[in-house]
Amino acid sequence: MTKPHHATPGRSDEWYTPPEIFEAMGVSFDLDPCQPEEGRAFLSVPARRHYTAQQDGLNAPWDGFVWLNPPFGGRNGVVPWLRKFMAHGNGICLVNALTSSGWFHDWAHLADAMLFPRGKTKFVRPDGTRGASPANGVVLLARGQKGVAALEAAQANGLGMLLVSKAFEVMA
């Protein structure tokens, strides 16, 4: 039996967002602060600029419309990334849909919209192959008008179920 990618010890934790997610959203990003160090030939993120781990995207300055697929490692490893993403306020973030976890309750409600992709997202490995069905689903969190519009397009293109914050609807 093949283990889900996040439970495979000794293997790369570099897993790339599949291109169909970006195709469904139909947008380009100004910055990807979490690009991988290896296997870049199989990367599909439509971003003009990027930071790798060596460039420390968590502590580097962010600007513009951001795509964030942060490292999934550690129980609360996404929290520093979510803190910076929410403060930045302009982009889309992909995280595990761990709806019962404390960090999810602390941060997801700050999103202007959430899109839950249908089924399990099969990520791309550094060698270009697809991973097996992971143990958890993911959710896309949007901040700002462009992010919400991208998730609305993704829903219209059949990617999944969209929830838009009432607070955002009042502001829009």
Side-chain angles (χ1 to χ4, degrees):
M1 180 173 125
T2 304
K3 292 182 179 181
H5 64 263
H6 62 276
T8 308
R11 306 266 322 254
S12 171
D13 63 356
E14 301 274 13
W15 290 82
Y16 314 152
T17 308
E20 56 269 17
I21 289 181
F22 300 112
E23 291 163 6
M25 290 188 292
V27 294
S28 293
F29 296 88
D30 296 310
L31 176 67
D32 175 357
C34 294
Q35 278 210 358
E37 299 284 352
E38 57 183 282
R40 297 175 62 77
F42 303 104
L43 195 62
S44 62
V45 179
R48 293 187 237 319
R49 294 183 306 104
H50 66 272
Y51 297 130
T52 63
Q54 287 183 327
Q55 296 162 314
D56 191 9
L58 182 58
N59 291 306
W62 292 7
D63 58 40
F65 189 52
V66 171
W67 166 257
L68 178 64
N69 179 352
F72 281 28
R75 183 175 184 160
N76 292 306
V78 299
V79 170
W81 293 97
L82 283 170
R83 181 178 294 118
K84 185 160 185 170
F85 176 78
M86 294 300 177
H88 179 69
N90 185 19
I92 298 173
C93 176
L94 182 150
V95 294
N96 269 327
L98 299 176
T99 59
S100 63
S101 69
W103 66 260
F104 192 89
H105 283 259
D106 292 343
W107 294 99
H109 72 94
L110 299 174
D112 295 320
M114 294 184 225
L115 185 128
F116 292 87
R118 181 179 298 278
K120 300 283 181 79
T121 301
K122 294 181 174 99
F123 288 83
V124 178
R125 293 182 177 110
D127 66 2
T129 61
R130 288 287 177 127
S133 184
N136 303 307
V138 296
V139 60
L140 301 172
L141 305 175
R143 291 280 287 163
Q145 286 185 316
K146 189 171 182 179
V148 172
L151 294 189
E152 288 172 339
Q155 180 185 36
N157 287 321
L159 187 62
M161 178 183 68
L162 179 67
L163 303 171
V164 177
S165 166
K166 288 190 183 288
F168 183 80
E169 289 176 347
V170 169
M171 294 170 40

